[in-house]
């Protein structure tokens, strides 16, 4: 990952007292995983042909399939354990062009998988997260393979800036959530996954 990446991770760690505090950037939007007709929190506007919701690059990120980890460093470098007054928080880290697979019996006990996780053969307790950087900004796609919706918290690191908390939307059961930032990101941290009874995406 190199020393520069390590410095970014240290900076992110220093900035996190708990994922629930801090200022928020403008809320990104969420779209369900096609071909679902579930409600959506908003419309993501990308450059492209009139009437297109997402460009082909983002549509490819939403495609169904097994979660295959794509990591540019060691697995343990993608997890921070943050202590907040005796309560330990897991923060999972992604850089652009990375995919992480989070597995567990419930959303509060997720861990990183080092091997591909199939989704078609049998039900999986799985959340996958993929971060890509495009000309039109950074895109994070989370796929929820749990039978419950979840909400979570996120931090972003822009080049030359300190890490900051950002608004994100809950992800419905067995659907995908899409977050878009119209600028470059060096790092995203996600954590505090919590099951919810939401029947529609809720942003915070």
């Amino acid at each position: 990952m190199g020393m520069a990446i390590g410095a970014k991770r240290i900076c992110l760690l220093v900035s996190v007292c708990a994922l629930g505090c801090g200022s928020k950037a403008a809320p990104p939007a969420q779209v369900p995983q096609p071909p679902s007709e579930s409600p959506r929190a908003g419309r993501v506007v990308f450059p492209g042909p009139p009437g297109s919701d997402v460009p082909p690059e983002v549509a490819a990120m939403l495609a169904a399939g097994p979660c295959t980890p794509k990591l540019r460093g060691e697995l343990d470098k993608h997890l921070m354990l943050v202590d907040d007054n005796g309560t330990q928080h897991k923060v999972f880290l992604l850089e652009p062009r990375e995919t992480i697979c989070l597995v567990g019996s419930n959303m509060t006990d997720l861990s990183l998988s080092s091997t591909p996780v199939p989704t078609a053969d049998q039900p999986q307790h799985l959340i996958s997260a993929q971060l890509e950087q495009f000309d039109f900004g950074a895109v994070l796609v989370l796929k929820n393979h749990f039978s419950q919706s979840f909400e979570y918290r996120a931090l972003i690191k822009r080049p030359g800036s300190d890490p900051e908390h950002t608004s994100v939307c809950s992800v419905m059961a067995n659907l995908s959530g899409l977050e878009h930032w119209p600028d470059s990101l060096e790092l995203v941290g996600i954590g505090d996954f919590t099951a919810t009874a939401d029947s529609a995406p809720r942003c915070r």
Side-chain angles (χ1 to χ4, degrees):
M1 304 288 282
M3 293 190 64
I5 298 303
K8 281 183 275 186
R9 294 184 191 281
I10 292 170
C11 184
L12 181 58
L13 176 60
V14 170
S15 74
V16 178
C17 60
L19 285 172
C21 61
S23 61
K24 296 182 178 181
Q30 182 192 49
V31 296
Q33 183 174 347
S36 170
E37 296 299 328
S38 296
R40 49 197 289 177
R43 177 183 172 89
V44 182
V45 180
F46 293 103
S52 62
D53 280 341
V54 294
E57 304 98 311
V58 176
M61 295 174 69
L62 293 166
C67 182
T68 303
K70 282 176 49 182
L71 308 175
R72 298 170 60 195
E74 298 298 323
L75 188 70
D76 60 0
K77 302 299 183 184
H78 292 78
L79 171 65
M80 285 193 316
L81 298 177
V82 180
D83 187 84
D84 175 38
N85 296 323
T87 301
Q88 195 173 73
H89 297 261
K90 290 182 179 180
V91 182
F92 301 100
L93 305 173
L94 298 98
E95 296 176 38
R97 301 185 303 280
E98 287 192 324
T99 299
I100 58 174
C101 307
L102 306 177
V103 294
S105 57
N106 57 68
M107 293 178 192
T108 60
D109 188 31
L110 295 170
S111 60
L112 289 158
S113 175
S114 60
T115 59
V117 182
T119 58
D121 296 340
Q122 58 184 349
Q124 296 287 327
H125 297 295
L126 164 69
I127 296 172
S128 68
Q130 180 181 358
L131 179 64
E132 298 290 346
Q133 185 70 53
F134 302 110
D135 292 342
F136 47 80
V139 174
L140 174 69
V141 168
L142 286 92
K143 296 179 181 178
N144 180 10
H145 294 279
F146 280 84
S147 58
Q148 289 178 288
S149 304
F150 69 77
E151 59 184 16
Y152 68 106
R153 297 188 186 276
L155 295 156
I156 58 173
K157 170 74 172 68
R158 294 181 173 91
S161 300
D162 292 334
E164 60 187 288
H165 293 261
T166 183
S167 295
V168 289
C169 299
S170 55
V171 182
M172 300 298 94
N174 299 306
L175 295 176
S176 294
L178 186 155
E179 306 288 345
H180 171 238
W181 296 271
D183 42 13
S184 296
L185 298 183
E186 293 181 343
L187 197 67
V188 170
I190 56 176
D192 277 1
F193 291 90
T194 305
T196 73
D198 293 344
S199 57
R202 181 168 59 90
C203 300
R204 61 172 186 168

